[in-house]
mmCIF file with all atom_site columns, all heavy atoms in Angstrom:
data_model
loop_
_atom_site.group_PDB
_atom_site.id
_atom_site.type_symbol
_atom_site.label_atom_id
_atom_site.label_alt_id
_atom_site.label_comp_id
_atom_site.label_asym_id
_atom_site.label_entity_id
_atom_site.label_seq_id
_atom_site.pdbx_PDB_ins_code
_atom_site.Cartn_x
_atom_site.Cartn_y
_atom_site.Cartn_z
_atom_site.occupancy
_atom_site.B_iso_or_equiv
_atom_site.pdbx_formal_charge
_atom_site.auth_seq_id
_atom_site.auth_comp_id
_atom_site.auth_asym_id
_atom_site.auth_atom_id
_atom_site.pdbx_PDB_model_num
ATOM 1   N N   . VAL A 1 12 ? 5.718   -29.427 71.219 1.00 98.00 ? 15 VAL A N   1
ATOM 2   C CA  . VAL A 1 12 ? 4.327   -29.881 71.263 1.00 98.00 ? 15 VAL A CA  1
ATOM 3   C C   . VAL A 1 12 ? 3.455   -28.960 70.409 1.00 98.00 ? 15 VAL A C   1
ATOM 4   O O   . VAL A 1 12 ? 2.628   -29.417 69.616 1.00 98.00 ? 15 VAL A O   1
ATOM 5   C CB  . VAL A 1 12 ? 3.806   -29.942 72.713 1.00 98.00 ? 15 VAL A CB  1
ATOM 6   C CG1 . VAL A 1 12 ? 2.304   -30.231 72.741 1.00 98.00 ? 15 VAL A CG1 1
ATOM 7   C CG2 . VAL A 1 12 ? 4.566   -30.997 73.510 1.00 98.00 ? 15 VAL A CG2 1
ATOM 8   N N   . ILE A 1 13 ? 3.652   -27.658 70.547 1.00 98.00 ? 16 ILE A N   1
ATOM 9   C CA  . ILE A 1 13 ? 2.855   -26.692 69.791 1.00 98.00 ? 16 ILE A CA  1
ATOM 10  C C   . ILE A 1 13 ? 3.142   -26.802 68.299 1.00 98.00 ? 16 ILE A C   1
ATOM 11  O O   . ILE A 1 13 ? 2.230   -26.677 67.474 1.00 98.00 ? 16 ILE A O   1
ATOM 12  C CB  . ILE A 1 13 ? 3.102   -25.265 70.326 1.00 98.00 ? 16 ILE A CB  1
ATOM 13  C CG1 . ILE A 1 13 ? 2.519   -25.141 71.739 1.00 98.00 ? 16 ILE A CG1 1
ATOM 14  C CG2 . ILE A 1 13 ? 2.494   -24.216 69.397 1.00 98.00 ? 16 ILE A CG2 1
ATOM 15  C CD1 . ILE A 1 13 ? 2.990   -23.925 72.507 1.00 98.00 ? 16 ILE A CD1 1
ATOM 16  N N   . ASN A 1 14 ? 4.384   -27.066 67.939 1.00 98.00 ? 17 ASN A N   1
ATOM 17  C CA  . ASN A 1 14 ? 4.713   -27.256 66.521 1.00 98.00 ? 17 ASN A CA  1
ATOM 18  C C   . ASN A 1 14 ? 4.015   -28.483 65.942 1.00 98.00 ? 17 ASN A C   1
ATOM 19  O O   . ASN A 1 14 ? 3.636   -28.491 64.771 1.00 98.00 ? 17 ASN A O   1
ATOM 20  C CB  . ASN A 1 14 ? 6.224   -27.363 66.321 1.00 98.00 ? 17 ASN A CB  1
ATOM 21  C CG  . ASN A 1 14 ? 6.908   -26.016 66.420 1.00 98.00 ? 17 ASN A CG  1
ATOM 22  O OD1 . ASN A 1 14 ? 6.311   -24.981 66.156 1.00 98.00 ? 17 ASN A OD1 1
ATOM 23  N ND2 . ASN A 1 14 ? 8.166   -26.029 66.808 1.00 98.00 ? 17 ASN A ND2 1
ATOM 24  N N   . LEU A 1 15 ? 3.834   -29.500 66.762 1.00 98.00 ? 18 LEU A N   1
ATOM 25  C CA  . LEU A 1 15 ? 3.135   -30.705 66.316 1.00 98.00 ? 18 LEU A CA  1
ATOM 26  C C   . LEU A 1 15 ? 1.622   -30.526 66.320 1.00 98.00 ? 18 LEU A C   1
ATOM 27  O O   . LEU A 1 15 ? 0.913   -31.133 65.515 1.00 98.00 ? 18 LEU A O   1
ATOM 28  C CB  . LEU A 1 15 ? 3.515   -31.897 67.203 1.00 98.00 ? 18 LEU A CB  1
ATOM 29  C CG  . LEU A 1 15 ? 4.949   -32.378 67.087 1.00 98.00 ? 18 LEU A CG  1
ATOM 30  C CD1 . LEU A 1 15 ? 5.250   -33.414 68.176 1.00 98.00 ? 18 LEU A CD1 1
ATOM 31  C CD2 . LEU A 1 15 ? 5.205   -32.971 65.707 1.00 98.00 ? 18 LEU A CD2 1
ATOM 32  N N   . ASN A 1 16 ? 1.129   -29.731 67.257 1.00 98.00 ? 19 ASN A N   1
ATOM 33  C CA  . ASN A 1 16 ? -0.308  -29.512 67.396 1.00 98.00 ? 19 ASN A CA  1
ATOM 34  C C   . ASN A 1 16 ? -0.539  -28.076 67.853 1.00 98.00 ? 19 ASN A C   1
ATOM 35  O O   . ASN A 1 16 ? -0.486  -27.783 69.045 1.00 98.00 ? 19 ASN A O   1
ATOM 36  C CB  . ASN A 1 16 ? -0.899  -30.497 68.407 1.00 98.00 ? 19 ASN A CB  1
ATOM 37  C CG  . ASN A 1 16 ? -2.385  -30.310 68.610 1.00 98.00 ? 19 ASN A CG  1
ATOM 38  O OD1 . ASN A 1 16 ? -3.007  -29.440 68.007 1.00 98.00 ? 19 ASN A OD1 1
ATOM 39  N ND2 . ASN A 1 16 ? -2.969  -31.123 69.476 1.00 98.00 ? 19 ASN A ND2 1
ATOM 40  N N   . SER A 1 17 ? -0.806  -27.208 66.902 1.00 96.00 ? 20 SER A N   1
ATOM 41  C CA  . SER A 1 17 ? -0.956  -25.780 67.203 1.00 96.00 ? 20 SER A CA  1
ATOM 42  C C   . SER A 1 17 ? -2.199  -25.465 68.035 1.00 96.00 ? 20 SER A C   1
ATOM 43  O O   . SER A 1 17 ? -2.370  -24.339 68.475 1.00 96.00 ? 20 SER A O   1
ATOM 44  C CB  . SER A 1 17 ? -0.991  -24.971 65.912 1.00 96.00 ? 20 SER A CB  1
ATOM 45  O OG  . SER A 1 17 ? -2.114  -25.332 65.132 1.00 96.00 ? 20 SER A OG  1
ATOM 46  N N   . LYS A 1 18 ? -3.048  -26.462 68.251 1.00 98.00 ? 21 LYS A N   1
ATOM 47  C CA  . LYS A 1 18 ? -4.253  -26.247 69.046 1.00 98.00 ? 21 LYS A CA  1
ATOM 48  C C   . LYS A 1 18 ? -4.167  -26.910 70.422 1.00 98.00 ? 21 LYS A C   1
ATOM 49  O O   . LYS A 1 18 ? -5.179  -27.203 71.046 1.00 98.00 ? 21 LYS A O   1
ATOM 50  C CB  . LYS A 1 18 ? -5.474  -26.757 68.285 1.00 98.00 ? 21 LYS A CB  1
ATOM 51  C CG  . LYS A 1 18 ? -5.707  -25.996 66.982 1.00 98.00 ? 21 LYS A CG  1
ATOM 52  C CD  . LYS A 1 18 ? -6.998  -26.408 66.338 1.00 98.00 ? 21 LYS A CD  1
ATOM 53  C CE  . LYS A 1 18 ? -7.215  -25.753 64.999 1.00 98.00 ? 21 LYS A CE  1
ATOM 54  N NZ  . LYS A 1 18 ? -7.386  -24.337 65.025 1.00 98.00 ? 21 LYS A NZ  1
ATOM 55  N N   . HIS A 1 19 ? -2.968  -27.101 70.920 1.00 98.00 ? 22 HIS A N   1
ATOM 56  C CA  . HIS A 1 19 ? -2.749  -27.746 72.216 1.00 98.00 ? 22 HIS A CA  1
ATOM 57  C C   . HIS A 1 19 ? -2.723  -26.673 73.308 1.00 98.00 ? 22 HIS A C   1
ATOM 58  O O   . HIS A 1 19 ? -1.690  -26.079 73.606 1.00 98.00 ? 22 HIS A O   1
ATOM 59  C CB  . HIS A 1 19 ? -1.434  -28.530 72.189 1.00 98.00 ? 22 HIS A CB  1
ATOM 60  C CG  . HIS A 1 19 ? -1.329  -29.554 73.261 1.00 98.00 ? 22 HIS A CG  1
ATOM 61  N ND1 . HIS A 1 19 ? -1.323  -29.238 74.600 1.00 98.00 ? 22 HIS A ND1 1
ATOM 62  C CD2 . HIS A 1 19 ? -1.230  -30.897 73.192 1.00 98.00 ? 22 HIS A CD2 1
ATOM 63  C CE1 . HIS A 1 19 ? -1.212  -30.339 75.304 1.00 98.00 ? 22 HIS A CE1 1
ATOM 64  N NE2 . HIS A 1 19 ? -1.162  -31.368 74.474 1.00 98.00 ? 22 HIS A NE2 1
ATOM 65  N N   . ALA A 1 20 ? -3.874  -26.427 73.890 1.00 98.00 ? 23 ALA A N   1
ATOM 66  C CA  . ALA A 1 20 ? -4.024  -25.346 74.864 1.00 98.00 ? 23 ALA A CA  1
ATOM 67  C C   . ALA A 1 20 ? -3.133  -25.525 76.088 1.00 98.00 ? 23 ALA A C   1
ATOM 68  O O   . ALA A 1 20 ? -2.583  -24.545 76.607 1.00 98.00 ? 23 ALA A O   1
ATOM 69  C CB  . ALA A 1 20 ? -5.480  -25.232 75.293 1.00 98.00 ? 23 ALA A CB  1
ATOM 70  N N   . MET A 1 21 ? -2.990  -26.749 76.559 1.00 98.00 ? 24 MET A N   1
ATOM 71  C CA  . MET A 1 21 ? -2.194  -26.964 77.767 1.00 98.00 ? 24 MET A CA  1
ATOM 72  C C   . MET A 1 21 ? -0.708  -26.718 77.507 1.00 98.00 ? 24 MET A C   1
ATOM 73  O O   . MET A 1 21 ? 0.019   -26.277 78.395 1.00 98.00 ? 24 MET A O   1
ATOM 74  C CB  . MET A 1 21 ? -2.444  -28.353 78.341 1.00 98.00 ? 24 MET A CB  1
ATOM 75  C CG  . MET A 1 21 ? -3.885  -28.542 78.812 1.00 98.00 ? 24 MET A CG  1
ATOM 76  S SD  . MET A 1 21 ? -4.497  -27.234 79.912 1.00 98.00 ? 24 MET A SD  1
ATOM 77  C CE  . MET A 1 21 ? -3.511  -27.539 81.358 1.00 98.00 ? 24 MET A CE  1
ATOM 78  N N   . ALA A 1 22 ? -0.253  -26.976 76.288 1.00 98.00 ? 25 ALA A N   1
ATOM 79  C CA  . ALA A 1 22 ? 1.133   -26.647 75.948 1.00 98.00 ? 25 ALA A CA  1
ATOM 80  C C   . ALA A 1 22 ? 1.311   -25.133 75.906 1.00 98.00 ? 25 ALA A C   1
ATOM 81  O O   . ALA A 1 22 ? 2.340   -24.612 76.351 1.00 98.00 ? 25 ALA A O   1
ATOM 82  C CB  . ALA A 1 22 ? 1.520   -27.276 74.618 1.00 98.00 ? 25 ALA A CB  1
ATOM 83  N N   . GLU A 1 23 ? 0.309   -24.434 75.395 1.00 98.00 ? 26 GLU A N   1
ATOM 84  C CA  . GLU A 1 23 ? 0.361   -22.970 75.403 1.00 98.00 ? 26 GLU A CA  1
ATOM 85  C C   . GLU A 1 23 ? 0.405   -22.449 76.838 1.00 98.00 ? 26 GLU A C   1
ATOM 86  O O   . GLU A 1 23 ? 1.157   -21.531 77.148 1.00 98.00 ? 26 GLU A O   1
ATOM 87  C CB  . GLU A 1 23 ? -0.842  -22.366 74.666 1.00 98.00 ? 26 GLU A CB  1
ATOM 88  C CG  . GLU A 1 23 ? -0.839  -22.564 73.175 1.00 98.00 ? 26 GLU A CG  1
ATOM 89  C CD  . GLU A 1 23 ? 0.176   -21.700 72.424 1.00 98.00 ? 26 GLU A CD  1
ATOM 90  O OE1 . GLU A 1 23 ? 0.902   -20.892 73.039 1.00 98.00 ? 26 GLU A OE1 1
ATOM 91  O OE2 . GLU A 1 23 ? 0.239   -21.841 71.183 1.00 98.00 ? 26 GLU A OE2 1
ATOM 92  N N   . ARG A 1 45 ? -3.461  -17.256 73.904 1.00 98.00 ? 48 ARG A N   1
ATOM 93  C CA  . ARG A 1 45 ? -3.651  -18.358 72.948 1.00 98.00 ? 48 ARG A CA  1
ATOM 94  C C   . ARG A 1 45 ? -4.312  -19.551 73.630 1.00 98.00 ? 48 ARG A C   1
ATOM 95  O O   . ARG A 1 45 ? -5.218  -20.169 73.077 1.00 98.00 ? 48 ARG A O   1
ATOM 96  C CB  . ARG A 1 45 ? -2.314  -18.777 72.351 1.00 98.00 ? 48 ARG A CB  1
ATOM 97  C CG  . ARG A 1 45 ? -1.737  -17.778 71.397 1.00 98.00 ? 48 ARG A CG  1
ATOM 98  C CD  . ARG A 1 45 ? -0.450  -18.291 70.815 1.00 98.00 ? 48 ARG A CD  1
ATOM 99  N NE  . ARG A 1 45 ? 0.324   -17.220 70.216 1.00 98.00 ? 48 ARG A NE  1
ATOM 100 C CZ  . ARG A 1 45 ? 1.508   -17.382 69.676 1.00 98.00 ? 48 ARG A CZ  1
ATOM 101 N NH1 . ARG A 1 45 ? 2.074   -18.592 69.648 1.00 98.00 ? 48 ARG A NH1 1
ATOM 102 N NH2 . ARG A 1 45 ? 2.155   -16.365 69.152 1.00 98.00 ? 48 ARG A NH2 1
ATOM 103 N N   . ALA A 1 46 ? -3.841  -19.882 74.822 1.00 98.00 ? 49 ALA A N   1
ATOM 104 C CA  . ALA A 1 46 ? -4.428  -20.998 75.567 1.00 98.00 ? 49 ALA A CA  1
ATOM 105 C C   . ALA A 1 46 ? -5.902  -20.740 75.833 1.00 98.00 ? 49 ALA A C   1
ATOM 106 O O   . ALA A 1 46 ? -6.748  -21.621 75.630 1.00 98.00 ? 49 ALA A O   1
ATOM 107 C CB  . ALA A 1 46 ? -3.677  -21.201 76.884 1.00 98.00 ? 49 ALA A CB  1
ATOM 108 N N   . LEU A 1 49 ? -8.049  -21.121 72.771 1.00 98.00 ? 52 LEU A N   1
ATOM 109 C CA  . LEU A 1 49 ? -8.234  -22.521 72.384 1.00 98.00 ? 52 LEU A CA  1
ATOM 110 C C   . LEU A 1 49 ? -9.209  -23.254 73.295 1.00 98.00 ? 52 LEU A C   1
ATOM 111 O O   . LEU A 1 49 ? -9.990  -24.086 72.830 1.00 98.00 ? 52 LEU A O   1
ATOM 112 C CB  . LEU A 1 49 ? -6.879  -23.244 72.373 1.00 98.00 ? 52 LEU A CB  1
ATOM 113 C CG  . LEU A 1 49 ? -5.920  -22.809 71.275 1.00 98.00 ? 52 LEU A CG  1
ATOM 114 C CD1 . LEU A 1 49 ? -4.533  -23.372 71.541 1.00 98.00 ? 52 LEU A CD1 1
ATOM 115 C CD2 . LEU A 1 49 ? -6.424  -23.272 69.909 1.00 98.00 ? 52 LEU A CD2 1
ATOM 116 N N   . GLU A 1 50 ? -9.143  -22.960 74.588 1.00 98.00 ? 53 GLU A N   1
ATOM 117 C CA  . GLU A 1 50 ? -10.019 -23.640 75.560 1.00 98.00 ? 53 GLU A CA  1
ATOM 118 C C   . GLU A 1 50 ? -10.542 -22.630 76.572 1.00 98.00 ? 53 GLU A C   1
ATOM 119 O O   . GLU A 1 50 ? -10.071 -22.569 77.712 1.00 98.00 ? 53 GLU A O   1
ATOM 120 C CB  . GLU A 1 50 ? -9.267  -24.761 76.272 1.00 98.00 ? 53 GLU A CB  1
ATOM 121 C CG  . GLU A 1 50 ? -8.944  -25.943 75.394 1.00 98.00 ? 53 GLU A CG  1
ATOM 122 C CD  . GLU A 1 50 ? -8.386  -27.127 76.157 1.00 98.00 ? 53 GLU A CD  1
ATOM 123 O OE1 . GLU A 1 50 ? -8.611  -27.241 77.379 1.00 98.00 ? 53 GLU A OE1 1
ATOM 124 O OE2 . GLU A 1 50 ? -7.711  -27.952 75.521 1.00 98.00 ? 53 GLU A OE2 1
#
Side-chain angles (χ1 to χ4, degrees):
V15 172
I16 292 165
N17 284 333
L18 292 171
N19 179 0
S20 63
K21 297 187 184 295
H22 199 297
M24 296 309 291
E26 290 287 359
R48 289 182 197 178
L52 291 168
E53 290 189 22

